[in-house]
């Protein structure tokens, strides 16, 4: 897969990428896809997550031919992370940034008030956030089917 452009997927606030996992098979046709996963117990602040993304991109660049393009695709909260990483890395390291449903108006949303409380949730509750929020954000049945199909 080293001949394909590298695409690093940065998930939304749930940290799993479950909502986007249905897109991964098609992306794998054109990209060497890597997906960031943030465990529910991980409470790394935004700056630390940005450093992690930058370190991963730099490591990939060091192990790849200079001609290999590196893209970052950020979904929702991951889009903010993608923008911060792009600012640090610059265009010589990171070739493209793709933002999907960017959380750029986050401060104007109800999530801004709740966002600080999310890291304080017990890990079992935090792990269930994608399913708890699914009725507001997508199709919970389809998300559950994908999770079962991916784990089996």
């Amino acid at each position: 897969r080293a001949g394909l452009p590298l695409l690093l997927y940065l998930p939304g606030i749930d940290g799993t990428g479950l909502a986007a996992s249905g897109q991964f098979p098609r992306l794998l046709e054109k990209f060497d896809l890597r997906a960031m996963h943030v465990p529910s117990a991980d409470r790394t602040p935004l700056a630390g997550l940005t450093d992690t993304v930058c370190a991963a991109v730099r490591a990939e660049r060091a192990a790849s031919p200079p001609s290999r393009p590196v893209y970052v695709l950020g979904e929702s909260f991951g889009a903010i992370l993608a923008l911060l990483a792009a600012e640090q890395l610059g265009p010589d390291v990171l070739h493209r940034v793709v933002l999907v449903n960017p959380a750029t108006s986050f401060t104007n949303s109800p999530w801004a008030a709740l966002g600080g409380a999310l890291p304080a949730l017990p890990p079992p509750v935090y792990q269930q956030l994608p399913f708890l929020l699914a009725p507001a954000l997508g199709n919970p049945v389809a998300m559950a089917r994908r999770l079962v199909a991916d784990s089996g």
Side-chain angles (χ1 to χ4, degrees), residues 33-87:
L33 177 65
R34 311 288 169 82
M36 179 179 184
H37 172 67
V38 181
S40 61
D42 187 335
R43 300 298 192 252
T44 304
L46 183 59
L49 292 173
T50 303
D51 291 343
T52 299
V53 169
C54 291
V57 170
R58 286 186 183 107
E60 287 293 337
R61 292 290 297 147
S64 300
S67 60
R68 185 180 195 199
V70 177
Y71 304 157
V72 171
L73 185 156
E75 175 195 4
S76 189
F77 170 76
I80 294 171
L81 201 52
L83 289 171
L84 292 170
E87 180 182 41

Side-chain angles (χ1 to χ4, degrees), residues 1 3-6 25-33 71:
R1 308 215 40 101
L4 296 173
L6 175 67
R26 299 253 347 235
L27 290 170
L28 282 166
E29 295 173 10
K30 303 283 184 182
F31 297 96
D32 181 7
L33 177 65
Y71 304 157

